[in-house]
Amino acid sequence: MSVTSPTSNIVTRPPASAPAQACDAPPAHDRLAPSPGCETTAPSVATHRCRVLAHHAVNARYRYLRLQADAPVAVTTHPGQFYQLKCPVTGSEAPFLLRPMSVYGTGPEPDTIEFLYNVTGVGTRALATLAEGATLDIVGPLGNTFTLDTRWKRVMVVARGVGLATMAPLVQRAAAAGLRLTVVMSARSEADLMRDEFLRSPQARALADVHCVFDSDGSSAVDALAPRLRALLDATPHDAVYTCGSHRLLMLLQRVLESHPHVVGEVAMEQRMACGMGVCLSCVRLFDCNGDKQFLRVCREGPVFPIRDVVGEVDFG
Amino acid sequence: MADLSVRIGALTLRNPVMPASGCFAVEYAEALDLRRLGALVVKSVSPNARAGNPTPRVAETASGMLNSIGIPSKGLDVYRRDVLPAYTRFDTPVVVSVSADTAESFAQACETLSLPEVAAIEANISCPNLEADGMAFAMLPESTYKAVSAIRRRTSHPLWVKLTPNAGQIAQIARAAEDAGADAIVMGNTVLGMAIDVRTRKPKLGNVMGGLSGPAIKPLAVRLVHQCHRAVRIPIIGCGGIETADDALEFMLAGASAVQVGTASFRDPAVMGHIVDGLAAYCNVHAIDRISTLTGAVALDAQLTDRWLRFAQQSG
């Protein structure tokens, strides 16, 4: 599923017709050509009826879901993008809104798509009851993608919790392009760590220098992790640092990246949302766009944003 | 093929289905052909710039959702320059929704937006009136009349007035809007609600209270549409929990000439297209030539109706 512009090695894709983009996102000429004016464009976001091909627990916290869609979603879905899942209504759970969920993987067949999720609330509890062979509607693909230049040499990925699922496709793409990876994985304990699920391919495992930190031994604490991340970035040149899923890690990386101004930093953000398409304005977060504080929609201008632009503490006055 | 067109005052729509303000943006063009809709209603604009409410701005409820977005706005100039052009290229009438916090500011904003590319103005008088300690204009007949007549004096554009289901005495409020010169009534809006997370003991919305929408409010909205239909001669645009063609038909039978679809689009971005298809199919199956003949066509027993009217008058 490598999609590379003939004129550029930047593999990223803007939303089909969004005028806005994250404030420090690469300039338009570095991105793949946007589709023509939307009044003539065929629908690019659709509800896909899917069949559950596989669905099982990965460990005590996470579940794996593999779907077969009614369209070649693996071809049109890019790392960092997400879908809205119409979780089933069960005897005890009645989710009303769709649930945004980042894509864990696509392919090898053009119509298969994978999700990795944590059972936390009404929607995911209902989702967890889906049997293999059942149907599930998903809406997408939605959102923007990570920036990745295949000419780069080494990137760092800092993952915690379910953020791992969001970055797994990015890791696969980086590995396929032969980039070296510094992988920092943070988890509550060894049992929660999903090293194999994150690296997935032999290629990624061969290219990755993996560092695991845990809450159980204190190594994941900000005070312990900060010097370790600094040492890793000082020891080897990195072209980009990516993260997702932990506000604490995001803020830590923002501080660490201050002394590495040439390293690209990107985060896939999370926020409670309703429409997933940029309409309802419920999922906004605050960003510093060249000194101008702006609310941007996580579903539309994101979910991937420059780490440096994120405003940590929001004061609504 | 049945004639799905409907008239809202001087305006003819190709069919009665349009989005509800706040639940629509041009991004839906990615999922739906906007030339299939009766009208495009843009998210409310307010004259004063504001950031909107704190997050979380949305919470799920039984058969519905609560929201407290807070009408983020960058003002009228930015709206005309950067927002409107995206909506006026679909060969579908564009309705601007206006929100303001004084009658004068409302009138001024509606005058500014009485533009050739705008087919109608929807005055969202469900928003807080600063001259009445933040109580919405549409909570009382008097403030409804004041706001609508102030706007009417400043624009000759088709004027739709969006009422709130939070008000009692809805018939009197609808009549006040009609008397003040409204061309149509939009009934209604979200119902004020609140939800609390029992684990954290915190309100589920950053702004504590918010508007309830979705199928949970549909029976309430159908009742309000019917009460308005009995009270006024101007067309009513029904709104509240519509997800299917049957829901839309229910509002038309209760007295609506057209309908607005809100929250349902969040669950299926292509839903308005399905509703249009469903209306055409219903007309074919039931041999209805013109869908507009369904407006107010609910089958009522005359004696029961009289009794109901007495009850309704007593209870306001």
Side-chain angles (χ1 to χ4, degrees):
Chain A
M1 60 177 232
S2 168
V3 180
T4 319
S5 159
T7 56
S8 162
N9 289 38
I10 309 275
V11 283
T12 182
R13 187 207 72 117
S17 67
Q21 57 184 30
C23 34
D24 280 358
H29 64 266
D30 276 353
R31 296 185 166 223
L32 294 181
S35 39
C38 53
E39 68 272 38
T40 55
T41 311
S44 58
V45 174
T47 300
H48 298 290
R49 176 59 54 95
C50 298
R51 192 166 65 90
V52 178
L53 294 177
H55 193 189
H56 55 255
V58 173
N59 60 23
R61 298 169 60 78
Y62 295 98
R63 293 182 67 83
Y64 169 82
L65 177 65
R66 182 175 178 80
L67 302 174
Q68 182 176 40
D70 58 7
V73 291
V75 183
T76 53
T77 306
H78 304 270
Q81 288 194 294
F82 67 99
Y83 280 77
Q84 290 256 72
L85 273 58
K86 191 168 191 178
C87 301
V89 171
T90 69
S92 54
E93 313 290 354
F96 177 73
L97 295 170
L98 276 55
R99 294 299 193 269
M101 196 173 282
S102 55
V103 175
Y104 170 56
T106 53
E109 297 82 12
D111 58 354
T112 53
I113 187 161
E114 300 164 300
F115 298 93
L116 192 69
Y117 67 98
N118 187 6
V119 180
T120 51
V122 173
T124 45
R125 276 200 301 271
L127 189 66
T129 66
L130 269 187
E132 287 178 8
T135 55
L136 173 69
D137 285 349
I138 66 173
V139 180
L142 302 165
N144 68 355
T145 82
F146 291 103
T147 305
L148 178 77
D149 189 329
T150 50
R151 293 167 300 192
W152 286 345
K153 297 281 181 274
R154 178 181 281 274
V155 296
M156 177 185 279
V157 187
V158 184
R160 181 175 168 91
V162 88
L164 169 160
T166 313
M167 288 187 290
L170 174 72
V171 166
Q172 290 312 307
R173 182 165 283 185
L179 272 68
R180 301 213 158 264
L181 295 152
T182 304
V183 174
V184 179
M185 297 189 71
S186 169
R188 289 188 187 190
S189 67
E190 184 91 44
D192 274 357
L193 196 76
M194 292 185 285
R195 184 179 173 139
D196 290 344
E197 283 76 7
F198 192 40
L199 298 173
R200 301 197 82 175
S201 66
Q203 211 171 0
R205 284 192 285 273
L207 289 164
D209 170 27
V210 183
H211 303 261
C212 302
V213 295
F214 302 104
D215 298 0
S216 49
D217 63 10
S219 57
S220 69
V222 167
D223 292 347
L225 195 52
R228 203 159 162 184
L229 290 176
R230 287 184 199 282
L232 286 168
L233 287 171
D234 290 339
T236 327
H238 284 75
D239 298 293
V241 174
Y242 306 95
T243 191
C244 174
S246 159
H247 189 71
R248 213 170 44 133
L249 279 181
L250 166 62
M251 291 295 106
L252 167 59
L253 284 172
Q254 198 175 61
R255 288 194 299 277
V256 168
L257 284 174
E258 279 172 16
S259 47
H260 296 273
H262 301 298
V263 177
V264 170
E266 287 189 337
V267 55
M269 304 279 278
E270 295 171 352
Q271 181 64 285
R272 203 168 279 272
M273 54 180 74
C275 75
M277 286 189 69
V279 174
C280 72
L281 308 186
S282 60
C283 66
V284 297
R285 305 227 7 196
L286 193 62
F287 296 87
D288 189 332
C289 301
N290 307 314
D292 183 22
K293 295 262 172 55
Q294 276 189 28
F295 285 104
L296 298 177
R297 299 165 294 183
V298 169
C299 72
R300 189 76 189 182
E301 281 82 46
V304 179
F305 294 93
I307 288 175
R308 291 179 175 87
D309 292 355
V310 178
V311 176
E313 298 297 324
V314 181
D315 182 11
F316 279 87
Chain B
M1 182 71 189
D3 178 3
L4 293 186
S5 71
V6 296
R7 285 181 65 86
I8 307 294
L11 206 62
T12 301
L13 310 181
R14 64 170 69 93
N15 67 56
V17 181
M18 68 184 90
S21 169
C23 300
F24 179 70
V26 75
E27 283 84 353
Y28 277 146
E30 289 172 20
L32 168 75
D33 183 356
L34 302 187
R35 293 167 302 186
R36 297 196 61 212
L37 301 178
L40 305 179
V41 186
V42 190
K43 197 172 179 69
S44 286
V45 59
S46 66
N48 301 323
R50 48 190 184 198
N53 288 332
T55 56
R57 290 177 167 186
V58 61
E60 191 172 77
T61 69
S63 296
M65 61 173 260
L66 283 164
N67 88 78
S68 62
I69 308 295
I71 312 184
S73 176
K74 290 179 179 167
L76 301 179
D77 293 341
V78 175
Y79 181 80
R80 185 181 182 187
R81 194 184 65 228
D82 298 341
V83 178
L84 262 188
Y87 294 87
T88 51
R89 54 194 169 114
F90 292 99
D91 188 32
T92 301
V94 170
V95 181
V96 299
S97 170
V98 180
S99 151
D101 48 26
T102 65
E104 171 54 26
S105 154
F106 239 125
Q108 211 173 334
C110 291
E111 182 177 16
T112 306
L113 290 171
S114 297
L115 303 162
E117 67 265 34
V118 169
I121 294 171
E122 178 179 291
N124 175 15
I125 62 167
S126 313
C127 50
N129 173 6
L130 287 193
E131 290 157 337
D133 294 329
M135 184 177 68
F137 296 93
M139 288 298 285
L140 296 172
E142 296 77 23
S143 43
T144 297
Y145 186 87
K146 190 182 169 201
V148 176
S149 51
I151 298 167
R152 184 77 286 173
R153 282 195 291 272
R154 302 275 280 274
T155 181
S156 53
H157 255 59
L159 174 61
W160 302 357
V161 175
K162 186 164 178 170
L163 303 183
T164 170
N166 296 321
Q169 303 185 317
I170 201 69
Q172 292 176 41
I173 291 164
R175 265 197 297 269
E178 181 180 40
D179 292 346
D183 294 302
I185 281 165
V186 181
M187 186 77 248
N189 205 326
T190 56
V191 180
L192 193 61
M194 180 172 169
I196 301 166
D197 184 326
V198 295
R199 193 176 47 84
T200 63
R201 300 189 181 186
K202 287 181 180 171
K204 287 187 177 175
L205 292 176
N207 202 40
V208 184
M209 286 178 269
L212 178 64
S213 62
I217 68 164
K218 197 188 81 175
L220 172 61
V222 171
R223 182 266 294 178
L224 290 165
V225 164
H226 191 59
Q227 283 180 299
C228 290
H229 175 68
R230 288 171 166 280
V232 299
R233 292 169 186 276
I234 53 176
I236 296 153
I237 299 158
C239 181
I242 296 170
E243 290 205 316
T244 64
D246 278 6
D247 294 335
L249 289 159
E250 199 176 337
F251 274 85
M252 293 189 76
L253 292 169
S257 297
V259 294
Q260 294 187 343
V261 179
T263 305
S265 291
F266 297 163
R267 303 216 292 160
D268 177 1
V271 74
M272 285 186 282
H274 302 321
I275 293 174
V276 173
D277 292 340
L279 292 179
Y282 176 90
C283 289
N284 287 343
V285 168
H286 296 273
I288 292 161
D289 292 334
R290 288 184 299 120
I291 199 166
S292 58
T293 58
L294 294 177
T295 295
V298 55
L300 294 174
D301 178 286
Q303 277 185 317
L304 280 176
T305 306
D306 288 346
R307 213 160 72 198
W308 180 89
L309 264 181
R310 283 198 298 280
F311 168 76
Q313 278 155 4
Q314 282 158 17
S315 61

